[in-house]
Amino acid sequence: MSPAAKALLEEASGVVCTQAKLDPKSSFAIDDMQARPSLPVQSPEAQAGAERAQRLLPVTKDLVVKSLRQLTTEYGFQKSSKFQTRVQQAIRRVNSVKRVKPDMESRDNASVFLSRPHVITFGTIFLAGLRSDEAMISVLAHELMHIADGENDSLRPLVAAVGNRASDLTGLDIHGQRGEEITCDLVGAMAARAYIADTPGYESIARRLARSIQHNCVDIDEGDEDHLSPRSTIRALLALNPVLVRELINDREERPAR
Ligand SMILES: [Zn+2]
């Protein structure tokens, strides 16, 4: 990346995490959520989150399908009939997801057990900490993208291409499982952006866009073998998505999201 592009990326990242402090509907940061006591499924915050997630599941499925098709084209796989067959199967898996299951033990995580691919298991702390539709769509889309990839990593060529591009742009090591996680995050950000374009309102565009990634605005910035650290995740996501960078900085939509 050029020094100018890097400077824009840092500026956009600053917008995301400044909004985390100003926006009454901002998401709690992952490290903040990790420090909280477990939250019973019956608590009002968890119930409100579970209702939000279940209500947004159908629209998020549509947005994931569109984002997946867009990425397939953007990364040059649209002419591969073998890959197109895999995309069709992936879309069927996404469309078969029926339910969000709130779970106290899962705390600040959401996950899919690929043996039970119709259900997204969602920790109650996470359900309560994502306080906007934009944030919820982003995380739901992330999980749906894992389901799209499926048990056999059938979208591996696309996932590897996204990971390689993210590695080249940031100099970070984003291969293997990290490539899958950043691809899921990218689909999450794309789905939220498309939702914002589809549901105009009076709120600031930058504020709404920031919600889709700001759970990564942590103080304690730790990653592991499978995941980039949260702040590196923001950097990689923005590097992959220059339109999002400009929209966060300029606080306006640049062109229709699709
Ligand atoms: Zn994941």
Side-chain angles (χ1 to χ4, degrees), residues 142-143 146 177 181 184 227:
H142 176 114
E143 297 306 322
H146 279 306
Q177 186 61 28
E181 295 301 332
C184 293
H227 299 79

Side-chain angles (χ1 to χ4, degrees), residues 232-253:
S232 295
T233 296
I234 296 180
R235 235 166 263 135
L237 262 179
L238 293 175
L240 288 168
N241 210 333
V243 179
L244 181 58
V245 169
R246 292 192 297 268
E247 290 184 339
L248 281 163
I249 293 172
N250 299 329
D251 193 15
R252 76 184 144 74
E253 285 169 316

